[in-house]
Amino acid sequence: MGYNAVLIFAGLQTIPADVYEAARLDGAGEIQMFGRITVPLLRPILVMVVILTVISSFQVFDIVQVTTQGGPANASNVLPMYIYDKAFNQFDFGYAATMSLALFVMLIAITFAQLRMARANESDLS
């Protein structure tokens, strides 16, 4: 949460004050400036924050390992925990490596889909 807040704060610092001043002179209110200036200019930062959050949510391992170790009847088992169990408890390294590669490909596909849908490479500042 703190890392995301720092990234969004840094993105807010990159928005020129002239844009807000021009909007105020045109009669825009705070809500209009937020919706039509701040959010579109923060879109690349917000997309990056969402992508990093999705990737980190797929990499939850330490909390599950320390607290429940997969939980009762695999109730809190996550994919990295399953990969770890296959590799180091069942000694099926080939299957674990394949699952790791599948996780990597899945994260790459999700990342490219999010970048494409959000048009993160386009800037509204120009």
Side-chain angles (χ1 to χ4, degrees):
M1 179 72 177
Y3 182 65
N4 295 340
V6 168
L7 289 175
I8 291 172
F9 181 69
L12 286 171
Q13 296 296 318
T14 63
I15 299 175
D18 300 344
V19 177
Y20 290 113
E21 184 180 342
R24 270 193 209 93
L25 288 175
D26 289 340
E30 295 293 324
I31 295 174
Q32 287 177 328
M33 286 192 295
F34 179 75
R36 296 187 180 193
I37 295 173
T38 306
V39 173
L41 291 179
L42 272 182
R43 185 176 58 211
I45 302 295
L46 293 174
V47 168
M48 183 183 66
V49 166
V50 167
I51 288 171
L52 290 174
T53 303
V54 167
I55 289 172
S56 67
S57 71
F58 275 99
Q59 294 177 345
V60 173
F61 174 80
D62 52 352
I63 296 173
V64 175
Q65 174 67 20
V66 170
T67 57
T68 64
Q69 295 178 352
N74 291 326
S76 64
N77 206 0
V78 291
L79 190 55
M81 187 72 194
Y82 178 71
I83 292 169
Y84 175 82
D85 181 57
K86 277 293 190 186
F88 298 110
N89 291 338
Q90 300 176 14
F91 299 108
D92 194 358
F93 295 107
Y95 186 72
T98 305
M99 290 295 293
S100 297
L101 185 62
L103 176 62
F104 174 71
V105 169
M106 185 173 62
L107 289 175
I108 291 292
I110 290 171
T111 299
F112 282 131
Q114 286 177 336
L115 285 173
R116 185 127 177 138
M117 285 189 295
R119 301 183 331 259
N121 59 346
E122 298 174 10
S123 175
D124 291 339
L125 193 56
S126 51

